[in-house]
Amino acid sequence: MRICLLCILLLSAPGFAAADAPGPNVIVIFCDDLGYGDLGCFGHPTIRTPRLDQMAREGQRWTQFYAAASVCTPSRAGLQTGRYPVRSGMCGSGYRVLFPDSKGGLPPKEITIGKMLQANGYATHAVGKWHLGHLPQFLPTSHGYDTYFGIPYSNDMDTAKDVPPWKEQFADPKSAYWNVPLMRGEKIVERPADQTTITDRYTQETIKHIRANRDRPFFIYLAHNLPHVPLFVSEPFEDVSRRGLYGDVIEEIDASTGRILDALREEGIAENTLVVFTSDNGPWHMYKVQGGSEGLLRDGKGSTWEGGMREPTVFWWPERIRPAVVMDIGSTLDLLPTIAAISGAKVPSDRTIDGVDLSGVLLRQKPSKRNDMIYYYGDEVFAVREGPYKAHYKTKTEFVGQKEPTAHDPPLLYNLEHDPSEKYNIASAHPEIVRQLTERKEAHEAGVKRVQNQLSLR
Ligand code: MG
C-alpha cells in the first residue's frame, strides 16, 4: 500500500511527465565532415548508400538544411542547444574548435536536447564524438545524458609520439598514430581507440540502447567520428566502394544506419521513433581525395559558402512523416524545438532560442517556419540568407587555402534557388534586397549578447 501511495505521489509531482506523456523515441545520427554530395540520394555517382536512399524514400529528404556552423565544435553546440553558438561562447576569433588542451566547454547553464528530454522522463544516451568539452563538467553525463560511450573530440587530435610525417600518416592511417581516448561515462576505457571498429561499436552501442529501452521513451544522439580524417573502416568494408577509402567509410555508415532502422523494426517501435540523419559541416578539402564532396554547392568545411554548412539531411518516422523531398529551409538549430514539440518537452523560455519548430513540415505538410540563416565564421557574421537570397559580407574560400578573408562592400548577392553553386553575383541589380539582408544582419547582431569565449581557455 505504501508503495502505491509513493507511486501516486511521484506521478503527480511537477516535472514527472514521463508516465502521463510518453513521447516518441528520437535518434539523431550526426556524421562528421560528410559533404552535401556524398550520399547516393544526394547525387553521388560512385558511393552506394542503399539504406540511406531507402530511408529518404520512406521519409523526407531535405535539400536546404543547414548545420549551425562550418566546423565541429560550434556546429555541435548549435545542434544541442538550438542557439547560434555565439550565444554560448562556443565559437571565437582565434581557435575555431576545442582541442585536447582546452579548458573550456559547453557552459553548464546551457540546456541540451538531452537535458530537456531527461527532464521529461526520457532515457538519454550519447554515443560517439562529443567535442563540447572533454573535462568531466562538460561531458555528456554532465549535460543531460544518462550514459556516454565515445571519443570526446576529433579522431585526428592528440598525435602519438614517434609517428611518421603528417603526409605519410594520412596516406596509410593506423589507429596508433592518434592517441585519442575512448570513454565510457567519464572514464577512459581504451587509448589509443581502435578506430577501425569505431563505427561498428557505436552502432552496437546504439542498438543495445534501443533494445534496452523498447518500453520507455528514449533519445539517442549518435555522433559518428567519421568520415572526418583519418579514415578507417572495419574489415567487411575494406575496398568495397568504387570511391575508394572515403566511399568505404560512407558505405559502412550507410550499413550502420540500416542496422539501426532494422533494430527499431525488430523491436516493433519504428512507428514510434523519429530518426534524423545529417552532418556537422561540409567536406574537408585540405585532405583532397580523403575528404568528401559538396556536390553542386560551393566550397567546404570551414567556409560560409554553401558547401561549408548545407548538409544532406533525412527525417524518417514510418506512418507519421509523409514521404517528400522538402526544399524549405531547415537547420540543426531547429532540432531542439522540433523534438520538444513532438515529445511534449518544454523549450527553455529564459533564453534566446534561434531554432524553430519543424514538426509542421514533418507531420502536417506545412511550410517551414525557417526563412533565414545566419552564417558565422568564428564569432563574426560573414553571410545572411533570407528566402532565396544570400548576401556575403566577407568570404574565405577554404578550397584554395585562402589565408585572410575578403571583405565585400557592397556585399555579394546570390539567389540560392536559381544558383545553388553561388556563381552569379546579382547585387548590382537588387540593391533593395541587399539593404533588406543588411538590416536583417544588423538586427541579429544587435540581439547577440557576447559571453566568455570557451574555445580560447587554456
Ligand atoms: Mg566536422
Side-chain angles (χ1 to χ4, degrees):
M1 190 60 176
R2 278 173 61 193
I3 292 169
C4 291
L5 274 173
L6 183 64
C7 292
I8 291 163
L9 286 171
L10 272 175
L11 290 171
S12 57
F16 197 90
D20 54 345
N25 311 307
V26 180
I27 302 177
V28 172
I29 303 174
F30 200 47
C31 293
D32 196 356
D33 296 4
L34 179 73
Y36 184 79
D38 281 329
L39 305 182
C41 53
F42 280 82
H44 200 283
T46 53
I47 298 178
R48 284 172 303 198
T49 52
R51 298 307 307 266
L52 283 158
D53 300 351
Q54 184 187 351
M55 181 184 173
R57 282 194 302 275
E58 292 171 359
Q60 290 184 355
R61 179 166 68 84
W62 285 58
T63 63
Q64 303 204 66
F65 195 90
Y66 292 95
S70 66
V71 287
C72 300
T73 296
S75 175
R76 286 150 209 274
L79 181 150
Q80 286 288 342
T81 63
R83 289 149 57 79
Y84 283 110
V86 68
R87 300 193 196 278
S88 54
M90 295 298 277
C91 59
S93 54
Y95 295 100
R96 297 189 70 190
V97 298
L98 291 166
F99 287 91
D101 64 342
S102 298
K103 296 278 188 290
L106 188 67
K109 65 174 190 288
E110 292 296 326
I111 295 176
T112 63
I113 298 174
K115 196 170 189 176
M116 176 184 80
L117 291 177
Q118 198 177 47
N120 206 38
Y122 274 62
T124 55
H125 302 285
V127 180
K129 175 171 169 173
W130 180 241
H131 216 179
L132 294 174
H134 60 278
L135 299 178
Q137 65 272 30
F138 303 124
L139 285 171
T141 44
S142 298
H143 265 302
Y145 291 89
D146 303 342
T147 68
Y148 174 53
F149 177 68
I151 295 173
Y153 38 72
S154 297
N155 63 334
D156 66 334
M157 291 182 167
D158 219 356
T159 308
K161 290 195 177 70
D162 304 322
V163 298
W166 182 77
K167 272 198 173 159
E168 288 172 40
Q169 285 170 37
F170 286 93
D172 183 19
K174 308 252 185 297
S175 285
Y177 296 166
W178 291 275
N179 193 31
V180 290
L182 179 66
M183 305 186 77
R184 187 167 285 285
E186 300 90 42
K187 288 200 173 58
I188 295 173
V189 293
E190 188 177 302
R191 190 170 199 168
D194 177 0
Q195 297 199 41
T196 61
T197 55
I198 205 70
T199 299
D200 179 57
R201 286 191 284 170
Y202 287 170
T203 309
Q204 288 179 37
E205 180 81 2
T206 301
I207 292 171
K208 182 186 85 181
H209 291 312
I210 290 171
R211 299 207 195 281
N213 292 289
R214 64 186 302 277
D215 296 321
R216 66 174 290 200
F218 62 81
F219 172 57
I220 302 173
Y221 172 62
L222 164 58
H224 287 293
N225 274 93
L226 294 161
H228 190 293
V229 296
L231 302 175
F232 293 99
V233 284
S234 63
E235 192 271 328
F237 292 90
E238 286 174 5
D239 301 321
V240 298
S241 175
R242 293 174 75 149
R243 167 64 174 83
L245 178 57
Y246 185 86
D248 295 343
V249 169
I250 305 306
E251 295 191 18
E252 182 161 21
I253 289 173
D254 177 69
S256 156
T257 308
R259 286 165 65 192
I260 290 164
L261 302 189
D262 289 345
L264 292 169
R265 287 200 159 109
E266 285 159 19
E267 296 298 337
I269 53 175
E271 287 74 23
N272 194 35
T273 306
L274 169 67
V275 184
V276 185
F277 181 96
T278 187
S279 179
D280 68 332
N281 55 249
W284 205 356
H285 287 310
M286 198 170 90
Y287 289 90
K288 302 190 167 120
V289 81
Q290 295 200 18
S293 167
E294 68 278 26
L296 84 175
L297 304 179
R298 182 164 171 177
D299 211 14
K301 174 176 181 170
S303 166
T304 47
W305 295 104
E306 288 294 288
M309 288 171 58
R310 203 191 291 193
E311 298 303 329
T313 302
V314 176
F315 286 80
W316 182 89
W317 187 356
E319 310 296 329
R320 292 298 307 274
I321 286 181
R322 190 165 153 198
V325 175
V326 175
M327 297 182 183
D328 287 4
I329 306 172
S331 169
T332 54
L333 293 165
D334 305 329
L335 294 181
L336 181 141
T338 302
I339 292 168
I342 65 168
S343 66
K346 281 203 173 62
V347 175
S349 56
D350 61 344
R351 61 199 67 201
T352 302
I353 298 290
D354 297 296
V356 299
D357 170 14
L358 301 176
S359 64
V361 191
L362 299 177
L363 307 178
R364 296 182 293 280
Q365 292 86 54
K366 300 265 197 233
S368 174
K369 291 180 185 169
R370 175 171 293 283
N371 191 44
D372 65 4
M373 193 67 206
I374 311 290
Y375 304 68
Y376 273 90
Y377 184 97
D379 57 0
E380 191 179 352
V381 176
F382 268 29
V384 172
R385 174 176 186 170
E386 200 164 53
Y389 295 103
K390 176 179 176 184
H392 290 267
Y393 300 87
K394 284 189 180 180
T395 54
K396 187 164 171 290
T397 303
E398 302 291 322
F399 187 69
V400 296
Q402 188 182 340
K403 292 276 184 279
E404 293 300 323
T406 307
H408 303 284
D409 186 16
L412 308 175
L413 182 72
Y414 298 93
N415 181 326
L416 293 177
E417 303 203 334
H418 293 181
D419 178 21
S421 308
E422 298 173 282
K423 285 180 179 165
Y424 309 110
N425 176 19
I426 54 172
S428 59
H430 298 284
E432 76 293 350
I433 294 170
V434 170
R435 206 160 38 241
Q436 191 182 319
L437 283 163
T438 303
E439 281 169 16
R440 178 74 191 86
K441 173 177 181 278
E442 286 166 358
H444 170 82
E445 288 170 328
V448 170
K449 202 171 106 200
R450 298 277 159 166
V451 296
Q452 164 90 62
N453 173 1
Q454 293 289 320
L455 309 190
S456 63
L457 300 177
R458 284 295 181 282

